Amino acid sequence: DLTLVEGQTVLLFLLGDVTLPHLNVTGKGVVTHANNGFSFTISGGVSADNGADVTLNTVTISNEDDILLYANNGATLTSIDTIGAGSYRGFASAVGAGSTVNLQGSLDTGSAATSGWQFVEAAYFGTVQANAFPLTGTFIGDRYNVRKQGLSRSWGGSRTYFPGVVAGTAASGGVYA
């Protein structure tokens, strides 16, 4: 876990293949992972909280029976060229005012989840933005769930843009755009 103080910046520069059990970033600082040709695997998901700003580039993420990318309390989490691995219940979730998950570059869902959760979730003024091409793989569950003034933005992608076997839902002021 990394806890940042106001304005602190951390650059993760890999010197070899790395597997972390979990990446949890809390605080108003910036964490950036520079892809320098080594594999970066996070086996317990990524959480960003309390204004943290996290950018990951070319990473494989798994989180058995939970969410892979989670932003809360005004945090921003950007993932570029991401691969989902193992069984998980959701790919990205942003909950709380100012919380944002950005999905960029290529996106591979990896193994399909086996639960009824959603691929992306946005709630309580949180936003999930996807500008990921190509988007490959399958997901067993809902495509999206936006509620309580949450926003899921696919930049012109149709309501079938996100993978899933069940249509997405927008309720209680949630918007899919």
Side-chain angles (χ1 to χ4, degrees):
D1 287 358
L2 294 172
T3 301
L4 305 176
V5 297
E6 185 77 31
Q8 182 178 13
T9 299
V10 175
L11 172 63
L12 301 175
F13 192 78
L14 305 180
L15 299 175
D17 294 343
V18 173
T19 299
L20 295 178
H22 179 74
L23 180 60
N24 181 37
V25 182
T26 302
K28 296 183 183 298
V30 178
V31 174
T32 302
H33 158 245
N35 178 19
N36 54 341
F38 296 104
S39 71
F40 188 28
T41 303
I42 302 170
S43 62
V46 179
S47 305
D49 199 7
N50 287 338
D53 186 352
V54 178
T55 300
L56 300 171
N57 190 349
T58 313
V59 62
T60 299
I61 305 170
S62 64
N63 197 6
E64 196 68 31
D65 297 326
D66 211 341
I67 298 168
L68 300 184
L69 301 166
Y70 179 71
N72 188 33
N73 293 326
T76 300
L77 178 52
T78 301
S79 190
I80 305 165
D81 297 335
T82 308
I83 299 171
S87 176
Y88 53 88
R89 293 186 180 187
F91 202 89
S93 177
V95 178
S99 300
T100 303
V101 175
N102 297 304
L103 301 173
Q104 300 175 0
S106 64
L107 183 76
D108 185 343
T109 64
S111 304
T114 56
S115 146
W117 287 21
Q118 60 281 336
F119 188 75
V120 297
E121 171 194 37
Y124 300 100
F125 299 97
T127 301
V128 175
Q129 303 184 102
N131 190 11
F133 298 101
L135 194 148
T136 59
T138 60
F139 182 79
I140 299 172
D142 296 1
R143 294 178 186 278
Y144 58 89
N145 180 355
V146 289
R147 56 191 164 69
K148 308 281 186 186
Q149 285 69 42
L151 171 64
S152 179
R153 183 178 295 153
S154 63
W155 302 106
S158 71
R159 294 193 179 271
T160 59
Y161 174 79
F162 293 112
V165 295
V166 179
T169 58
S172 302
V175 176
Y176 181 90

